[in-house]
Amino acid sequence: KELWKTPLDAGSSASFLVADGLAVVPATTLTALDAKTGAVQWRAAQVKTDSNSPVLWRADGQAFLLCNTAKAVYCVELATGQVRWEVPGGLHSTVTVDGDLMAVLSGSPSVGLTAYRIAPAKADKLWSVPRADRGGDHRPEAERGGAGASWRPAGGVGGLGAGGAEGAGAHRGRPVPDGGGVRRRARP
């Protein structure tokens, strides 16, 4: 039984998200509908996407959406649709988030694969591998717990230590070679 139907600006090839009573649809303009009635609750006019799925992120007791578009990644308040911040992104890649770390794979040569430490008020760039430097197959992998976080290219070099025994950001910006796969740091 169909409960409701709401016309949208355009179609979408991305997945929609349902959270906190809202159905969020990336249909050209990021749009939130009341999940029970289908009534439009808000439209984030500057967040234009139809091919990247929004990702739910919770911080400081609030819910946010992280959404990659053709040129930027936006952090949007789920309840209001207000854009909190934006950082370079682009093309057809849904962001990956783990706690306060976010990674985006962009088609832009200057952005490439980039990691950020995120908060409701801002995003700080931790590192990036520009597209021209990335080479072959790269899969963002996130590891969290005790010794920190690590995203590294498969079969290559790279890494980020974001905490643990060696201190926050101890490996930031230094390539860390290994034998392939996900590099695991020893736990204290």
Side-chain angles (χ1 to χ4, degrees):
K1 174 182 168 187
E2 184 174 279
L3 297 179
W4 51 263
K5 191 176 204 175
T6 301
L8 298 170
D9 295 339
S12 176
S13 61
S15 299
F16 68 95
L17 177 140
V18 178
D20 299 352
L22 295 175
V24 181
V25 183
T28 305
T29 299
L30 189 66
T31 303
L33 309 171
D34 182 295
K36 291 181 181 177
T37 67
V40 173
Q41 298 300 296
W42 55 258
R43 283 189 168 92
Q46 73 189 92
V47 184
K48 305 283 189 195
T49 186
D50 61 5
S51 59
N52 299 323
S53 301
V55 173
L56 181 65
W57 173 61
R58 294 188 188 273
D60 296 342
Q62 287 187 285
F64 300 92
L65 301 168
L66 301 172
C67 193
N68 192 17
T69 68
K71 296 187 183 198
V73 176
Y74 292 90
C75 177
V76 179
E77 287 183 15
L78 176 62
T80 66
Q82 177 186 350
V83 173
R84 287 291 199 92
W85 49 257
E86 69 180 88
V87 293
L91 294 182
H92 308 294
S93 175
T94 297
V95 302
T96 300
V97 66
D98 186 14
D100 66 347
L101 298 175
M102 177 185 76
V104 61
L105 182 61
S106 172
S108 168
S110 64
V111 178
L113 175 63
T114 302
Y116 296 91
R117 182 168 314 280
I118 57 176
K122 65 179 182 169
D124 293 319
K125 182 176 171 180
L126 296 174
W127 55 260
S128 69
V129 181
R131 187 171 171 88
D133 295 342
R134 286 191 358 215
D137 182 22
H138 287 71
R139 292 169 241 154
E141 303 270 353
E143 174 192 344
R144 291 281 299 192
S150 178
W151 274 283
R152 72 170 285 302
V157 297
L160 163 72
E166 298 170 289
H171 296 283
R172 187 174 306 147
R174 293 195 329 239
V176 183
D178 71 2
V182 177
R183 182 165 88 46
R184 302 213 182 255
R185 291 183 178 76
R187 305 252 185 235

